[in-house]
Amino acid sequence: MISNSEANASQTNLNNASVKIPSGEQSEDAYNTFYGPVVQMGNGHARSWINVSHDNKALALGVEITDEALQNLPDIPEEERDFISGPADFLLPLHQKAKELTPYDHICINWNAHGHEPAGLYDIPHFDFHFYRMTLGEQMTIPPYNLAPTLFDNDPPAGYMPDLYFHAPGGVPEMGAHWIDLLTPELYGQPFTYTFIYGSYNGHVTFNEPMITMATIQGGNTIHKDIRQPLHFSPTNKYYPTQYSIWKDDSNNKHYISLDEMVLR
């Protein structure tokens, strides 16, 4: 396992080549990839990245995970999680370019060795990739549901969530309320592989979350999935994704999860 100091030092030695989304239309010479700092994860590391065109448009924002990062991940009981900086939770700062051009402030990768509720649906090993649309300080103030139920239950105004998304009961501290896609295949008898969650707290959309099984990531297949869109966006004049993608680059043995096909809203 690499130490934190080794991970930080290794940042300068990483291959900082452009991230190429499979089947993407953009030529690699038409944009630059900007990386966030390296964070230790399992036996490897992870970091954030953003692709920005030469005319300063955000094209894609995502996570890069080394293959070794999927090894030796901890098994932490749900009741012992803090969901930000615990042993199974990996906080990825964003490059300043990402904060300038998109609504996102930081990413948290939450590893769930046994999945989580509801039982029979999401209780298999998977990752929650939370792309937070609030500051870390704001995230840390979200209490357990029983201490502030009216704030968890205060939905964003009509039009700020896509149609056919369901506000699941309750909420999670340092996260908020979770909105489930009512069209997701696992609700209709198919095995859970990946899905896209929205989050809210106190009347605001607070995160976007691709939720992906370990088996899907390890499988290495290339997946592109449309993100169903709300009518309204806040903040405005930012680039928002209309698709998320999952793939492995066999040339560097790294895994990628991205929010892409971005549109200025």
Side-chain angles (χ1 to χ4, degrees):
M1 179 180 294
I2 61 174
S3 67
N4 286 328
S5 60
E6 287 172 328
N8 291 334
S10 71
Q11 182 180 3
T12 58
N13 298 322
L14 292 173
N15 179 2
N16 287 330
S18 296
V19 173
K20 175 66 173 176
I21 299 175
S23 302
E25 297 180 358
Q26 288 285 335
S27 169
E28 290 184 58
D29 60 4
Y31 64 88
N32 294 318
T33 299
F34 299 90
Y35 290 92
V38 171
V39 173
Q40 181 180 348
M41 177 175 164
N43 286 346
H45 59 259
R47 58 178 175 172
S48 68
W49 54 270
I50 183 170
N51 286 347
V52 180
S53 67
H54 293 167
D55 55 354
N56 207 39
K57 296 176 182 178
L59 305 175
L61 172 69
V63 173
E64 176 188 81
I65 304 172
T66 62
D67 202 44
E68 295 81 7
L70 303 179
Q71 304 167 14
N72 199 32
L73 289 166
D75 184 349
I76 306 298
E78 189 78 7
E79 62 273 12
E80 297 179 14
R81 302 286 292 276
D82 72 3
F83 301 112
I84 296 177
S85 59
D89 307 286
F90 308 95
L91 174 63
L92 304 186
L94 300 185
H95 190 279
Q96 188 60 34
K97 277 283 188 182
K99 295 185 178 184
E100 291 173 0
L101 295 173
T102 77
Y104 303 105
D105 182 81
H106 59 284
I107 300 169
C108 285
I109 304 176
N110 306 110
W111 162 241
N112 307 284
H114 303 284
H116 53 61
E117 61 179 2
L121 194 63
Y122 296 129
D123 54 351
I124 60 176
H126 72 267
F127 294 93
D128 299 337
F129 294 92
H130 286 90
F131 290 70
Y132 281 103
R133 291 161 58 171
M134 57 182 165
T135 67
L136 182 59
E138 291 169 335
Q139 181 189 351
M140 293 177 69
T141 65
I142 298 177
Y145 176 79
N146 64 331
L147 298 182
T150 57
L151 298 183
F152 281 88
D153 295 341
N154 180 17
D155 292 345
Y160 282 87
M161 286 290 181
D163 289 339
L164 296 178
Y165 264 80
F166 169 69
H167 181 158
V172 181
E174 298 179 337
M175 284 188 190
H178 289 66
W179 294 65
I180 297 174
D181 182 1
L182 291 177
L183 301 180
T184 195
E186 62 269 17
L187 296 183
Y188 301 92
Q190 299 299 311
F192 164 52
T193 52
Y194 52 87
T195 191
F196 195 85
I197 306 289
Y198 280 81
S200 70
Y201 184 73
N202 195 22
H204 299 279
V205 180
T206 51
F207 63 79
N208 298 130
E209 178 197 347
M211 192 161 71
I212 308 169
T213 64
M214 171 68 92
T216 297
I217 294 176
Q218 288 179 324
N221 294 323
T222 297
I223 297 165
H224 301 295
K225 184 70 174 177
D226 289 342
I227 300 171
R228 290 196 288 110
Q229 300 291 294
L231 293 175
H232 307 301
F233 298 83
S234 180
T236 56
N237 294 315
K238 298 283 188 178
Y239 286 89
Y240 288 82
T242 63
Q243 175 181 270
Y244 68 102
S245 300
I246 308 161
W247 77 96
K248 183 180 182 182
D249 186 341
D250 290 326
S251 70
N252 60 18
N253 211 32
K254 294 175 182 177
H255 302 268
Y256 294 87
I257 292 87
S258 68
L259 306 184
D260 49 76
E261 297 294 324
M262 288 187 152
V263 175
L264 184 65
R265 303 292 193 182

